[in-house]
Amino acid sequence: MGTVWALDPETKDLMFDEDGILITAEGEAASLQGVRLTLEAWKGDFELVPDHGTDYERILGEPADEEAADEVIREAVFQENSLAYLENLSVAVNGRTLEVSFTGCLEDGTAVSMEVKTDG
């Protein structure tokens, strides 16, 4: 993945150290930040890259297709190129709230895990 600007997971703002220097993320942190941002974005919201994001319309739209949730989430997670595979994936849909947790492995062999909750 390389180096990316670190974003606050709550506010999505750029992060700076106490000296005002922009903080960056590398490796596992950069990869997981990329997955989190993809899971928190609806597909089509970013006009410059219309395929970026998660196709929540399929899961949470009318009519909702909860059976497609695993497929949609896998599609979104693998937009992060450094992710090699998923070992476990849990997707829980409750109304317009979606909770995703997974464990997997990056291309470099690093084991990763993450939990993301989004309110569609």
Side-chain angles (χ1 to χ4, degrees):
M1 166 108 211
T3 303
V4 298
W5 293 335
L7 300 177
D8 182 291
E10 298 296 319
T11 66
K12 310 299 182 282
D13 290 332
L14 294 171
M15 296 174 58
F16 297 88
D17 68 14
E18 61 276 355
D19 296 323
I21 305 297
L22 187 64
I23 297 173
T24 58
E26 297 179 11
E28 176 184 352
S31 296
L32 291 177
Q33 177 176 286
V35 170
R36 177 176 301 283
L37 291 172
T38 301
L39 290 174
E40 292 176 343
W42 283 62
K43 186 173 263 187
D45 278 353
F46 186 53
E47 292 181 19
L48 296 175
V49 185
D51 289 335
H52 172 76
T54 305
D55 191 1
Y56 285 119
E57 192 64 37
R58 280 185 58 200
I59 303 171
L60 304 173
E62 294 294 329
D65 185 0
E66 290 185 26
E67 293 180 10
D70 279 9
E71 176 186 341
V72 167
I73 297 304
R74 284 179 188 278
E75 219 173 75
V77 167
F78 283 108
Q79 288 179 39
E80 175 55 54
N81 295 333
S82 64
L83 192 66
Y85 62 88
L86 294 178
E87 291 177 349
N88 297 304
L89 174 64
S90 172
V91 180
V93 179
N94 184 10
R96 294 197 52 87
T97 300
L98 184 84
E99 294 183 33
V100 176
S101 63
F102 70 86
T103 59
C105 193
L106 299 178
E107 291 287 338
D108 68 4
T110 304
V112 294
S113 64
M114 171 175 267
E115 293 180 12
V116 175
K117 181 177 179 180
T118 182
D119 297 318

